[in-house]
């Protein structure tokens, strides 16, 4: 009988109970015991849900009040010394300060967990970092689960992945050097778990699917030999991509079992089955832990049966990865059309599928005949449903030619026509799109959604917000204005709600970081645009001013990246479909006389595959999708794009290929590190490296921004340099925004003056 288990369950709660409790605690509305009671209830409820679904081994330690990597940092006593916590470091209050910063110390850095939209807290390592078993939470949760009669399987981030995902704070120091100091603490943890009667421990080592340097790979033998000596059975888990390159290494490790992601990389399974050691179990992740589609049970069953032929009782079944990345429960989605709902599975439903598979494997396909037949009908229906398949969209994609991906003239010709049309000064100032989402704006949107505000009054409220934003920008002296995005709660959801082929959920929340959740739309079918989406607002904004107003759209790759995507066609095809819809919108804006249109692609870099060898393929279609969205306009229409959240140095060639006339990028946090790459690469089009960090309430003065701009002038020819913040301003308040933008406009003026005098001086000499 195959053992079924799950690698982790969403911790936030079906109604985001953890979010509410955390935020109430942070603002002093509830006490610590109230918060920890919520945590306890969530764990209990989630274990019960999993057992009810038929799961044999429930994960323990996947719960976190903020993040699982931060949990490890506290458990391993690796809290950065800069916080000065000493022995108190494992208290929840210290924990939150690490995640969120305090008066004296900025928060620990946060970055994306592999290629997901979950963010983890990055460990900080120094040459003298030491480790010790410093917290009890793991052991307490194991006791908690045992007391409730669950069969606990503690989940830990493995030592190599933990080190690899951290950052070295000292120069010339390799964090792998810390391994010998780290292992005794892991051994101690395993020893304690064994004393608690734990049979199995899951060690997540997803770093094994990355391009790992040889010395890191070599560390695995040493590590697991050391850990094999103590404690319970270790199940070493990889996910998100293929570990086939590491099959020999992994099979030779002295662990009791391996877990593979057979959804994202089913092709790796044979490499492991071939000569699989007889002393190990193999856990196959056959249910997609990262997407919301119902499993093709026949395919999964076939895969499992093939594996069982080799492994018999040593085959385990699981979702591909932790279910952290999908919403909790589909049941409450009463507003979804039932046809669409029948295609979907969230965390709870996925575990039910796992139980069905297990039954099929134990008793034969006949035993799950009903389920298989239901799903055959569902698959059949999905394959032909007019909700999904739009022949016009498919035909349009087929008729695309090279010319559809190219602007008429090269940048050098376009830009002079655009300058003539826009008549902006040197070093033009602009912003990234959104302005503060004031309580009034949020309330109007929420009331409208609830039906408490009618269409007319909702529009009035939005127009008022737009008018005010435009007037403020005029008063500040900005050059290229925006309408401020008051009508958008989210830059992806706003478009998803209007595009055919997308659906949005009511409760489909997924943790992004800490208490922050996102509700990714679901791309269910061929994408098209039934009618214009933004024109009315932009045109309204333009009527309020004689200065040019920039149109504002979200790009195809970002739409794709921040949604749940179809699993029945390549991502590239979906991206092209979205691109065509956006291209139509761009065309309408141009028709309406909008002279500059921004197509945001903040997510382009995070879409990069985990392995370098897959990068070119992705970048090839991602760039093409952007070009398809943006190339339908005349030479004198200026296309902008915006990117943030990451380092762009290594994808500059692709960014250049996008051929936007102007790109605004996040740079201020890194002190403009990107500039060196831009100079070296000679980025050819206009560019605005952000001069202030909008993520912080701090208002930089004009001299500071001028210094950054002068630094930028060394990398970018002055006639191609734009002046703008790092990102959109929707999370900030108006007073700081007005101050910061006033300083920014001043800095641009000072720069213009200096440049004019430099030109004058050159002319004289
Ligand atoms: N136009 C968007 C805004 O200003 C861009 C947001 C982003 O880059 N994530 O909010
Ligand atoms: Zn941004």
């Amino acid at each position: 009988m195959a053992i079924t288990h799950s690698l982790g369950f969403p911790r936030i709660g079906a109604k985001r109970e953890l979010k509410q409790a955390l935020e109430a605690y942070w603002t002093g509305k509830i006490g610590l015991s109230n918060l920890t009671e919520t945590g306890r209830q969530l764990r209990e409820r989630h274990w019960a849900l999993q057992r009810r679904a038929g799961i044999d081994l429930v994960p323990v330690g996947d719960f976190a009040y903020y993040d699982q990597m931060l949990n490890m940092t506290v458990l391993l006593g690796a809290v950065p010394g800069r916080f000065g916590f000493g022995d108190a470091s494992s208290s929840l209050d210290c924990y939150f300060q690490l995640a969120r910063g305090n008066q004296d110390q900025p928060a620990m850095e946060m970055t994306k967990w592999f290629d997901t939209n979950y963010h983890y807290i990055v460990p900080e390592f120094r040459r003298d970092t030491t480790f010790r078993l410093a917290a009890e939470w793991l052991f307490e949760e194991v006791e908690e689960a045992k007391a409730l009669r669950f069969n606990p399987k503690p989940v830990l981030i493995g030592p190599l992945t933990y080190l690899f995902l951290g950052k070295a704070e000292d120069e010339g120091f390799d964090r792998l050097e810390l391994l010998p100091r780290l292992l005794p603490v892991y051994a101690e943890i395993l020893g304690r778990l064994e004393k608690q009667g734990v049979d199995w421990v899951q060690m997540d080592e997803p770093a094994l699917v990355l391009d790992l340097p040889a010395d890191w790979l070599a560390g695995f033998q040493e590590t697991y030999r050391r850990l094999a000596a103590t404690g319970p059975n270790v199940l070493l888990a990889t996910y998100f991509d293929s570990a086939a390159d590491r099959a020999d290494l992994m099979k030779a490790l002295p662990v009791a079992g391996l877990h593979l992601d057979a959804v994202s990389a089913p092709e790796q399974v044979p490499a492991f089955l071939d000569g699989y050691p007889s002393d190990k179990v193999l856990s196959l992740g056959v249910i997609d832990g990262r997407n919301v589609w119902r499993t093709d049970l026949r395919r999964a069953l076939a895969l499992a049966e093939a594996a069982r032929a080799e492994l018999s009782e040593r085959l385990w079944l699981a979702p591909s990865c932790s279910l952290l990345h999908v919403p909790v429960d589909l049941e409450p989605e009463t507003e979804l059309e039932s046809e669409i709902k029948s295609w979907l599975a969230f965390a709870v439903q996925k575990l039910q599928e796992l139980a069905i598979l297990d039954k099929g494997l134990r008793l034969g396909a006949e035993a799950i005949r009903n389920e298989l037949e239901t799903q055959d009908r569902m698959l059949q229906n999905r394959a032909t449903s007019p909700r999904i398949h739009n022949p016009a969209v498919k035909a349009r994609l087929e008729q695309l030619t090279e010319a559809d991906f190219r602007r008429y003239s090269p940048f050098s010709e376009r830009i002079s026509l655009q300058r003539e049309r826009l008549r902006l000064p040197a070093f033009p100032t602009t912003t990234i799109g959104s302005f503060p989402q004031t309580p009034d704006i949020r309330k109007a949107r929420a009331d409208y959604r609830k039906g408490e505000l009618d269409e007319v009054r909702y529009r009035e409220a939005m127009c008022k917000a737009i008018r005010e934003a435009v007037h403020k920008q005029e008063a500040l002296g900005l050059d290229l204005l925006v309408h401020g995005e008051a009508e958008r709660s989210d830059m992806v959801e706003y478009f998803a709600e209007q595009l055919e082929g997308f659906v949005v959920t009511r409760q489909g929340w997924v943790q992004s970081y800490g208490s922050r959740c996102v509700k990714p739309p679901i791309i269910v079918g061929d994408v098209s645009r039934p009618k214009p989406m933004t024109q009315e607002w932009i045109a309204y904004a333009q009527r309020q001013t004689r200065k040019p107003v920039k149109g504002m759209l979200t790009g195809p790759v970002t739409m794709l990246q921040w949604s749940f995507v179809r699993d029945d066609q390549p991502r590239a095809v979906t991206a092209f479909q979205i691109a065509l819809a956006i291209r139509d919108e761009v065309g309408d804006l141009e028709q309406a006389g909008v002279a500059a249109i921004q197509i945001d692609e903040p997510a382009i870099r995070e879409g990069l595959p985990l392995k370098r060898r897959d990068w070119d393929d992705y970048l090839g279609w991602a760039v093409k999708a952007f070009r398809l969205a943006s190339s339908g306009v005349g030479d004198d229409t200026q296309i902008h794009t915006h990117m943030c959240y990451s380092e762009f140095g290594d994808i500059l060639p692709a960014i250049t290929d996008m051929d936007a006339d102007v790109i605004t990028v996040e740079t201020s946090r890194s002190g403009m590190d990107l500039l060196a790459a831009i100079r070296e690469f000679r980025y050819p089009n206009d560019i605005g490296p952000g001069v202030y960090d909008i993520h912080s309430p701090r208002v930089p003065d004009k001299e500071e921004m001028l210094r950054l701009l002068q630094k930028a002038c060394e990398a970018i020819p002055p006639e191609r340099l734009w002046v703008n913040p790092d990102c959109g301003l929707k999370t900030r308040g108006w007073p700081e925004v007005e101050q910061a933008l006033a300083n920014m406009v001043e800095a641009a003026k000072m720069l213009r003056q200096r440049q004019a005098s430099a030109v004058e001086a050159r002319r004289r000499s």
Side-chain angles (χ1 to χ4, degrees), residues 432 491 600 602 642-645 664-666 694-695 726-728:
I432 307 306
M491 62 187 288
D600 289 324
H642 164 73
M643 290 176 193
C644 52
Y645 301 132
T664 51
V665 273
E666 176 180 313
I694 63 94
H695 300 90
D726 248 355
C727 193

Side-chain angles (χ1 to χ4, degrees), residues 39-153:
R40 198 199 58 73
Q41 282 173 8
L42 285 170
R43 288 191 295 272
E44 178 174 354
R45 189 193 309 159
H46 295 160
W47 288 328
L49 273 173
Q50 295 177 79
R51 184 167 59 192
R52 206 172 314 137
I55 294 296
D56 301 313
L57 284 176
V58 298
V60 173
D62 56 336
F63 178 83
Y65 284 100
Y66 207 94
D67 162 53
Q68 71 262 14
M69 280 290 277
L70 185 59
N71 278 17
M72 289 303 297
T73 293
V74 171
L75 183 67
L76 297 167
V79 167
R82 63 186 175 92
F83 284 88
F85 287 156
D87 282 343
S89 67
S90 73
S91 77
L92 259 189
D93 284 324
C94 290
Y95 177 87
F96 290 135
Q97 288 176 50
L98 300 171
R100 309 174 71 224
N102 60 26
Q103 234 89 44
D104 308 317
Q105 288 296 324
M108 292 174 75
E109 200 179 289
M110 190 166 73
T111 197
K112 294 236 166 187
W113 177 246
F114 295 79
D115 57 352
T116 73
N117 284 328
Y118 176 81
H119 302 69
Y120 73 91
I121 301 279
V122 183
E124 294 173 18
F125 298 127
R126 299 186 171 277
R127 218 171 244 116
D128 59 4
T129 297
T130 55
F131 303 95
R132 67 192 170 90
L133 179 49
E136 290 294 310
W137 61 263
L138 179 66
F139 313 112
E140 289 164 6
E141 286 175 20
V142 167
E143 283 313 312
E144 202 177 292
K146 276 170 48 189
L148 295 164
R149 304 193 175 283
F150 294 104
N151 192 359
K153 176 198 58 179

